[in-house]
Amino acid sequence: MKALNEASNRGVSISMLLESSMGHGGSINIDIIGKMRTLVPPAQLFAWQDKTELFIDGRMYAKVAIADGVVCFITGANLTGHAMEKNMEAGVLLISGGRIPQLLDQHLCSLIDTKVISPV
């Protein structure tokens, strides 16, 4: 959280797509969106809320980070405090340059543009 806030203070724009809590139609028992609002106030937060019938039980399970459409981090590991500090988790892939970071960035932007995911 400290690094995200420091980046924001340097003018970096931060957007996060997060899973909603059970109380807000999601699948997790904590309000991670509420926590992120408190911990990283400048971040723009998104959620997959208005799911069509086909995806009604779908979960936000992607674990990626993209920087400027140039670098991306793709992992199977959870991006939680325990995962980063206590658990044994693996599955990291860092891609710098090429089309994959750009395509992943475009895909996430298109999910926003088509209102598949929405600001919260």
Side-chain angles (χ1 to χ4, degrees), residues 46-83:
F46 295 87
W48 184 24
Q49 296 178 320
D50 298 323
K51 299 172 188 166
T52 62
E53 187 175 332
L54 182 63
F55 296 102
I56 201 72
D57 291 326
R59 307 273 192 274
M60 181 52 247
Y61 202 67
K63 298 166 186 162
V64 301
I66 308 162
D68 300 326
V70 178
V71 176
C72 66
F73 169 76
I74 304 170
T75 183
N78 290 308
L79 301 176
T80 63
H82 271 77

Short mmCIF file of all heavy atoms in Angstrom, two decimals, residues 46-83:
data_model
loop_
_atom_site.label_atom_id
_atom_site.label_comp_id
_atom_site.label_asym_id
_atom_site.label_seq_id
_atom_site.Cartn_x
_atom_site.Cartn_y
_atom_site.Cartn_z
N PHE A 46 -12.69 -0.51 -9.63
CA PHE A 46 -13.70 -1.10 -10.51
C PHE A 46 -14.11 -2.47 -9.98
O PHE A 46 -13.34 -3.12 -9.27
CB PHE A 46 -13.13 -1.28 -11.93
CG PHE A 46 -12.81 0.00 -12.62
CD1 PHE A 46 -11.58 0.60 -12.45
CD2 PHE A 46 -13.74 0.61 -13.44
CE1 PHE A 46 -11.27 1.79 -13.09
CE2 PHE A 46 -13.45 1.81 -14.09
CZ PHE A 46 -12.22 2.39 -13.91
N ALA A 47 -15.31 -2.89 -10.35
CA ALA A 47 -15.80 -4.23 -9.98
C ALA A 47 -16.65 -4.77 -11.13
O ALA A 47 -17.20 -4.02 -11.93
CB ALA A 47 -16.61 -4.18 -8.70
N TRP A 48 -16.75 -6.08 -11.18
CA TRP A 48 -17.60 -6.78 -12.15
C TRP A 48 -18.92 -7.02 -11.45
O TRP A 48 -19.11 -8.03 -10.79
CB TRP A 48 -16.91 -8.08 -12.56
CG TRP A 48 -17.59 -8.88 -13.62
CD1 TRP A 48 -18.47 -8.44 -14.57
CD2 TRP A 48 -17.43 -10.28 -13.85
NE1 TRP A 48 -18.85 -9.47 -15.37
CE2 TRP A 48 -18.22 -10.61 -14.95
CE3 TRP A 48 -16.70 -11.27 -13.22
CZ2 TRP A 48 -18.30 -11.91 -15.46
CZ3 TRP A 48 -16.77 -12.55 -13.72
CH2 TRP A 48 -17.57 -12.87 -14.82
N GLN A 49 -19.85 -6.08 -11.57
CA GLN A 49 -21.08 -6.14 -10.79
C GLN A 49 -22.30 -6.59 -11.58
O GLN A 49 -23.06 -7.41 -11.11
CB GLN A 49 -21.36 -4.76 -10.17
CG GLN A 49 -20.30 -4.36 -9.18
CD GLN A 49 -20.55 -2.99 -8.61
OE1 GLN A 49 -20.95 -2.08 -9.31
NE2 GLN A 49 -20.30 -2.85 -7.32
N ASP A 50 -22.51 -6.03 -12.73
CA ASP A 50 -23.71 -6.32 -13.50
C ASP A 50 -23.47 -7.49 -14.44
O ASP A 50 -23.28 -7.32 -15.65
CB ASP A 50 -24.16 -5.08 -14.29
CG ASP A 50 -24.51 -3.93 -13.36
OD1 ASP A 50 -25.08 -4.20 -12.29
OD2 ASP A 50 -24.20 -2.78 -13.71
N LYS A 51 -23.47 -8.68 -13.88
CA LYS A 51 -23.17 -9.89 -14.65
C LYS A 51 -24.43 -10.40 -15.35
O LYS A 51 -25.51 -10.40 -14.77
CB LYS A 51 -22.63 -10.98 -13.72
CG LYS A 51 -21.35 -10.57 -13.04
CD LYS A 51 -20.92 -11.58 -12.00
CE LYS A 51 -19.75 -11.04 -11.21
NZ LYS A 51 -19.50 -11.80 -10.01
N THR A 52 -24.25 -10.82 -16.58
CA THR A 52 -25.36 -11.44 -17.30
C THR A 52 -25.64 -12.81 -16.67
O THR A 52 -24.82 -13.33 -15.91
CB THR A 52 -25.03 -11.61 -18.79
OG1 THR A 52 -23.91 -12.49 -18.91
CG2 THR A 52 -24.73 -10.27 -19.45
N GLU A 53 -26.79 -13.38 -16.99
CA GLU A 53 -27.18 -14.66 -16.39
C GLU A 53 -26.12 -15.74 -16.58
O GLU A 53 -25.86 -16.53 -15.69
CB GLU A 53 -28.52 -15.12 -16.99
CG GLU A 53 -29.07 -16.35 -16.30
CD GLU A 53 -30.45 -16.73 -16.82
OE1 GLU A 53 -31.19 -15.85 -17.28
OE2 GLU A 53 -30.76 -17.93 -16.74
N LEU A 54 -25.49 -15.74 -17.73
CA LEU A 54 -24.46 -16.74 -18.02
C LEU A 54 -23.29 -16.67 -17.05
O LEU A 54 -22.67 -17.68 -16.72
CB LEU A 54 -23.96 -16.55 -19.46
CG LEU A 54 -22.92 -17.53 -19.98
CD1 LEU A 54 -23.48 -18.95 -20.01
CD2 LEU A 54 -22.46 -17.12 -21.37
N PHE A 55 -23.00 -15.47 -16.52
CA PHE A 55 -21.84 -15.27 -15.65
C PHE A 55 -22.22 -14.95 -14.21
O PHE A 55 -21.37 -14.51 -13.44
CB PHE A 55 -20.97 -14.13 -16.20
CG PHE A 55 -20.39 -14.44 -17.55
CD1 PHE A 55 -20.95 -13.90 -18.70
CD2 PHE A 55 -19.30 -15.28 -17.67
CE1 PHE A 55 -20.42 -14.18 -19.94
CE2 PHE A 55 -18.76 -15.57 -18.91
CZ PHE A 55 -19.33 -15.02 -20.05
N ILE A 56 -23.45 -15.18 -13.82
CA ILE A 56 -23.95 -14.77 -12.51
C ILE A 56 -23.09 -15.29 -11.35
O ILE A 56 -22.92 -14.60 -10.35
CB ILE A 56 -25.43 -15.13 -12.32
CG1 ILE A 56 -26.06 -14.27 -11.25
CG2 ILE A 56 -25.63 -16.61 -12.03
CD1 ILE A 56 -26.28 -12.86 -11.65
N ASP A 57 -22.50 -16.47 -11.48
CA ASP A 57 -21.64 -17.02 -10.42
C ASP A 57 -20.16 -16.80 -10.71
O ASP A 57 -19.31 -17.35 -10.02
CB ASP A 57 -21.92 -18.51 -10.24
CG ASP A 57 -23.28 -18.77 -9.65
OD1 ASP A 57 -23.75 -17.95 -8.83
OD2 ASP A 57 -23.91 -19.79 -10.01
N GLY A 58 -19.84 -15.99 -11.71
CA GLY A 58 -18.45 -15.73 -12.07
C GLY A 58 -17.75 -14.93 -10.99
O GLY A 58 -18.36 -14.18 -10.23
N ARG A 59 -16.45 -15.08 -10.92
CA ARG A 59 -15.63 -14.40 -9.92
C ARG A 59 -14.55 -13.56 -10.61
O ARG A 59 -14.08 -13.91 -11.69
CB ARG A 59 -14.91 -15.40 -9.02
CG ARG A 59 -15.80 -16.45 -8.37
CD ARG A 59 -16.38 -15.95 -7.08
NE ARG A 59 -17.01 -16.97 -6.30
CZ ARG A 59 -18.25 -17.37 -6.43
NH1 ARG A 59 -19.01 -16.87 -7.36
NH2 ARG A 59 -18.77 -18.28 -5.63
N MET A 60 -14.14 -12.50 -9.97
CA MET A 60 -13.01 -11.70 -10.43
C MET A 60 -11.76 -12.38 -9.90
O MET A 60 -11.41 -12.22 -8.73
CB MET A 60 -13.17 -10.27 -9.88
CG MET A 60 -12.10 -9.29 -10.28
SD MET A 60 -11.83 -9.20 -12.01
CE MET A 60 -10.21 -9.87 -12.08
N TYR A 61 -11.13 -13.18 -10.72
CA TYR A 61 -10.02 -14.00 -10.25
C TYR A 61 -8.71 -13.67 -10.96
O TYR A 61 -7.68 -14.24 -10.68
CB TYR A 61 -10.37 -15.49 -10.44
CG TYR A 61 -9.59 -16.41 -9.55
CD1 TYR A 61 -9.76 -16.39 -8.17
CD2 TYR A 61 -8.65 -17.27 -10.08
CE1 TYR A 61 -9.02 -17.21 -7.35
CE2 TYR A 61 -7.91 -18.11 -9.27
CZ TYR A 61 -8.10 -18.08 -7.91
OH TYR A 61 -7.37 -18.90 -7.10
N ALA A 62 -8.73 -12.72 -11.87
CA ALA A 62 -7.51 -12.35 -12.59
C ALA A 62 -6.51 -11.74 -11.62
O ALA A 62 -6.88 -10.99 -10.72
CB ALA A 62 -7.84 -11.35 -13.69
N LYS A 63 -5.26 -12.08 -11.81
CA LYS A 63 -4.19 -11.54 -10.97
C LYS A 63 -3.12 -10.98 -11.89
O LYS A 63 -2.18 -11.67 -12.25
CB LYS A 63 -3.64 -12.64 -10.07
CG LYS A 63 -4.69 -13.19 -9.12
CD LYS A 63 -4.25 -14.48 -8.50
CE LYS A 63 -5.40 -15.05 -7.70
NZ LYS A 63 -5.22 -16.45 -7.43
N VAL A 64 -3.34 -9.75 -12.27
CA VAL A 64 -2.42 -9.10 -13.20
C VAL A 64 -2.18 -7.67 -12.76
O VAL A 64 -3.00 -7.06 -12.08
CB VAL A 64 -2.95 -9.11 -14.66
CG1 VAL A 64 -3.18 -10.52 -15.15
CG2 VAL A 64 -4.21 -8.29 -14.79
N ALA A 65 -1.04 -7.15 -13.17
CA ALA A 65 -0.73 -5.74 -13.01
C ALA A 65 -0.13 -5.29 -14.33
O ALA A 65 0.66 -6.01 -14.94
CB ALA A 65 0.25 -5.52 -11.87
N ILE A 66 -0.52 -4.09 -14.78
CA ILE A 66 -0.03 -3.56 -16.05
C ILE A 66 0.51 -2.16 -15.79
O ILE A 66 -0.13 -1.36 -15.11
CB ILE A 66 -1.15 -3.48 -17.09
CG1 ILE A 66 -1.89 -4.81 -17.22
CG2 ILE A 66 -0.60 -3.04 -18.45
CD1 ILE A 66 -3.23 -4.70 -17.87
N ALA A 67 1.66 -1.86 -16.35
CA ALA A 67 2.24 -0.53 -16.24
C ALA A 67 2.40 0.06 -17.64
O ALA A 67 3.19 -0.45 -18.45
CB ALA A 67 3.59 -0.58 -15.53
N ASP A 68 1.61 1.08 -17.92
CA ASP A 68 1.72 1.86 -19.16
C ASP A 68 1.57 1.02 -20.43
O ASP A 68 2.04 1.43 -21.49
CB ASP A 68 3.06 2.60 -19.21
CG ASP A 68 3.23 3.57 -18.05
OD1 ASP A 68 2.21 4.15 -17.62
OD2 ASP A 68 4.36 3.74 -17.57
N GLY A 69 0.94 -0.14 -20.35
CA GLY A 69 0.79 -0.97 -21.53
C GLY A 69 2.10 -1.51 -22.06
O GLY A 69 2.17 -2.02 -23.17
N VAL A 70 3.15 -1.43 -21.23
CA VAL A 70 4.49 -1.84 -21.66
C VAL A 70 5.01 -3.02 -20.87
O VAL A 70 5.73 -3.87 -21.38
CB VAL A 70 5.47 -0.64 -21.53
CG1 VAL A 70 6.88 -1.04 -21.91
CG2 VAL A 70 5.00 0.52 -22.37
N VAL A 71 4.65 -3.08 -19.60
CA VAL A 71 5.10 -4.15 -18.71
C VAL A 71 3.87 -4.74 -18.04
O VAL A 71 2.96 -4.01 -17.63
CB VAL A 71 6.07 -3.61 -17.63
CG1 VAL A 71 6.45 -4.71 -16.65
CG2 VAL A 71 7.31 -3.01 -18.26
N CYS A 72 3.83 -6.07 -17.94
CA CYS A 72 2.74 -6.68 -17.17
C CYS A 72 3.29 -7.79 -16.30
O CYS A 72 4.32 -8.39 -16.57
CB CYS A 72 1.62 -7.18 -18.07
SG CYS A 72 2.04 -8.54 -19.16
N PHE A 73 2.59 -8.00 -15.23
CA PHE A 73 2.90 -9.03 -14.22
C PHE A 73 1.68 -9.93 -14.19
O PHE A 73 0.56 -9.46 -13.96
CB PHE A 73 3.12 -8.32 -12.89
CG PHE A 73 3.20 -9.20 -11.67
CD1 PHE A 73 4.34 -9.94 -11.42
CD2 PHE A 73 2.15 -9.26 -10.78
CE1 PHE A 73 4.42 -10.73 -10.28
CE2 PHE A 73 2.22 -10.05 -9.64
CZ PHE A 73 3.37 -10.78 -9.39
N ILE A 74 1.87 -11.20 -14.51
CA ILE A 74 0.77 -12.17 -14.53
C ILE A 74 1.14 -13.28 -13.56
O ILE A 74 2.25 -13.81 -13.61
CB ILE A 74 0.58 -12.76 -15.94
CG1 ILE A 74 0.35 -11.64 -16.96
CG2 ILE A 74 -0.57 -13.75 -15.96
CD1 ILE A 74 0.40 -12.09 -18.41
N THR A 75 0.20 -13.63 -12.68
CA THR A 75 0.53 -14.64 -11.67
C THR A 75 -0.69 -15.47 -11.29
O THR A 75 -1.82 -15.03 -11.45
CB THR A 75 1.12 -13.97 -10.41
OG1 THR A 75 1.50 -15.00 -9.49
CG2 THR A 75 0.15 -13.04 -9.75
N GLY A 76 -0.43 -16.65 -10.82
CA GLY A 76 -1.47 -17.49 -10.24
C GLY A 76 -1.52 -17.29 -8.73
O GLY A 76 -2.46 -17.70 -8.06
N ALA A 77 -0.49 -16.66 -8.20
CA ALA A 77 -0.43 -16.42 -6.76
C ALA A 77 -1.44 -15.35 -6.37
O ALA A 77 -1.74 -14.45 -7.14
CB ALA A 77 0.98 -15.98 -6.37
N ASN A 78 -1.94 -15.45 -5.17
CA ASN A 78 -2.85 -14.44 -4.67
C ASN A 78 -2.08 -13.16 -4.39
O ASN A 78 -0.90 -13.19 -4.04
CB ASN A 78 -3.55 -14.92 -3.40
CG ASN A 78 -4.55 -16.01 -3.70
OD1 ASN A 78 -5.39 -15.85 -4.58
ND2 ASN A 78 -4.45 -17.13 -3.01
N LEU A 79 -2.74 -12.03 -4.56
CA LEU A 79 -2.11 -10.73 -4.32
C LEU A 79 -2.64 -10.15 -3.01
O LEU A 79 -3.19 -9.06 -2.97
CB LEU A 79 -2.38 -9.79 -5.50
CG LEU A 79 -1.89 -10.29 -6.85
CD1 LEU A 79 -2.30 -9.32 -7.96
CD2 LEU A 79 -0.38 -10.47 -6.84
N THR A 80 -2.48 -10.91 -1.94
CA THR A 80 -2.93 -10.49 -0.62
C THR A 80 -1.73 -10.28 0.28
O THR A 80 -0.61 -10.68 -0.05
CB THR A 80 -3.83 -11.58 0.01
OG1 THR A 80 -3.03 -12.77 0.19
CG2 THR A 80 -5.04 -11.89 -0.86
N GLY A 81 -1.96 -9.67 1.44
CA GLY A 81 -0.88 -9.49 2.40
C GLY A 81 -0.25 -10.81 2.80
O GLY A 81 0.97 -10.95 2.83
N HIS A 82 -1.08 -11.82 3.12
CA HIS A 82 -0.54 -13.12 3.50
C HIS A 82 0.24 -13.74 2.35
O HIS A 82 1.30 -14.33 2.56
CB HIS A 82 -1.67 -14.06 3.94
CG HIS A 82 -1.98 -13.98 5.39
ND1 HIS A 82 -2.70 -12.95 5.93
CD2 HIS A 82 -1.64 -14.79 6.41
CE1 HIS A 82 -2.81 -13.13 7.23
NE2 HIS A 82 -2.17 -14.24 7.55
N ALA A 83 -0.27 -13.62 1.13
CA ALA A 83 0.42 -14.20 -0.02
C ALA A 83 1.78 -13.56 -0.23
O ALA A 83 2.76 -14.24 -0.55
CB ALA A 83 -0.44 -14.04 -1.27
#
